[in-house]
Amino acid sequence: MQDITIWHNPRCSKSRDALSYLEEKKLDIKIIKYLDAKITKEDIKEILLMLGVGARTLMRTKEDIYKELNLENENDEEKLIQAMVDNPKLIERPVIIKDGSAVIARPLEKIDELF
């Protein structure tokens, strides 16, 4: 069995779909409910490295808090990361992690890139 981690929001249909997809594969899955898990700056930086992207790519740019914090005009990676730490609702979901690699499972088929 392979170890897989999912940053999961049970209230999100895309996240639930991704979890079901992984469960169908009979994998060992570690579920991190990131809205409750106290995600740190280091956690986010590690995921960004695995994804090979900048902070904005991991952000839900249509969330009201994104607009309220005026993040569309922010270019400082540290400030964008801190905004996600302070407001985990800004983190795009679901994030799937396997063997030091990660994908944002949108669309769901992106998960297959890890196998």
Side-chain angles (χ1 to χ4, degrees), residues 8-98:
H8 179 58
N9 178 351
R11 293 178 19 197
C12 170
S13 64
K14 298 289 187 200
S15 194
R16 289 191 310 268
D17 290 346
L19 182 56
S20 292
Y21 184 84
L22 293 169
E23 288 172 339
E24 288 171 10
K25 293 182 175 288
K26 308 274 191 249
L27 302 168
D28 287 331
I29 305 165
K30 178 180 179 184
I31 300 169
I32 297 176
K33 294 180 182 176
Y34 67 92
L35 292 176
D36 303 324
K38 303 290 187 229
I39 299 296
T40 67
K41 282 179 98 167
E42 291 72 29
D43 294 330
I44 291 175
K45 287 179 180 183
E46 185 176 354
I47 291 296
L48 292 173
L49 282 173
M50 288 184 216
L51 290 167
V53 300
R56 192 172 316 279
T57 302
L58 186 58
M59 298 185 91
R60 297 179 55 80
T61 59
K62 294 183 180 163
E63 290 290 334
D64 289 339
I65 191 71
Y66 182 86
K67 294 172 183 78
E68 290 168 18
L69 295 174
N70 197 32
L71 295 174
E72 64 271 8
N73 296 316
E74 184 59 66
N75 293 313
D76 184 317
E77 286 285 301
E78 289 293 322
K79 289 182 181 177
L80 293 172
I81 291 167
Q82 188 61 52
M84 287 186 275
V85 170
D86 295 341
N87 305 280
K89 188 176 184 179
L90 285 169
I91 300 171
E92 187 61 87
R93 60 191 177 252
V95 175
I96 314 298
I97 305 155
K98 177 185 174 289

